[in-house]
């Protein structure tokens, strides 16, 4: 969450104040300037913060579901702990480990593929000098 807040504050800090003033000169209100100028410019930052927040929340959800079934998973990250819960001293169920790997990673992969362009532009926005 702190990383998302940092990305958003950095992104909003880079939007020049002159853009809002220019929109106000054209006859729009402060609220109109917010929706017509500032919000479209902040879309990459919002998308990046949303993806990072989703990943954190998804990880917490996955962790709680693993902890309900396997108390030994406290030493591992949630996905790894869940996958390793299919391994015992005498047997290893590779088919269930593979299925758990796919189920655990698939939502994050879909989200990143859908929002890839916005994530890259949001992460590189502070690195470019205009």
């Amino acid at each position: 969450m702190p990383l998302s807040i940092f990305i958003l504050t950095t992104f909003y800090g880079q939007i020049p104040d002159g853009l809002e003033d220019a929109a106000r000169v054209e006859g729009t209100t402060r609220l109109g300037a917010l929706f017509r100028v500032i919000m479209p410019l902040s879309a990459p930052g919002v998308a990046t913060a949303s993806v990072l927040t989703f990943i954190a929340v998804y990880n917490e959800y996955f962790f709680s579901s693993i902890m309900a079934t396997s108390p030994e998973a406290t030493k591992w990250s949630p996905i790894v702990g869940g996958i390793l819960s299919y391994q015992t001293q005498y047997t290893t169920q590779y088919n269930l480990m593979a299925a758990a790997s796919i189920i655990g990673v698939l939502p994050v992969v879909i989200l990143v593929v859908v929002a890839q362009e916005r994530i890259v532009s949001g992460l590189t926005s502070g690195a470019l000098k205009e």
Side-chain angles (χ1 to χ4, degrees), residues 73-84:
T74 56
K75 300 175 187 172
W76 303 99
S77 65
I79 292 177
V80 174
I83 292 168
L84 291 179

Side-chain angles (χ1 to χ4, degrees), residues 56-127:
V57 169
Y58 181 72
N59 200 20
E60 287 297 321
Y61 163 73
F62 209 69
F63 179 71
S64 62
S65 65
I66 289 170
M67 291 307 293
T69 59
S70 173
E72 299 172 6
T74 56
K75 300 175 187 172
W76 303 99
S77 65
I79 292 177
V80 174
I83 292 168
L84 291 179
S85 68
Y86 293 113
Q87 183 178 11
T88 64
Q89 183 177 0
Y90 301 108
T91 62
T92 302
Q93 298 172 336
Y94 292 108
N95 57 345
L96 295 177
M97 291 174 79
S101 300
I102 292 172
I103 296 297
V105 174
L106 194 61
V108 176
V109 168
I110 291 171
L111 183 67
V112 169
V113 167
V114 168
Q116 181 178 9
E117 182 180 331
R118 301 245 187 222
I119 293 170
V120 170
S121 63
L123 289 173
T124 59
S125 65

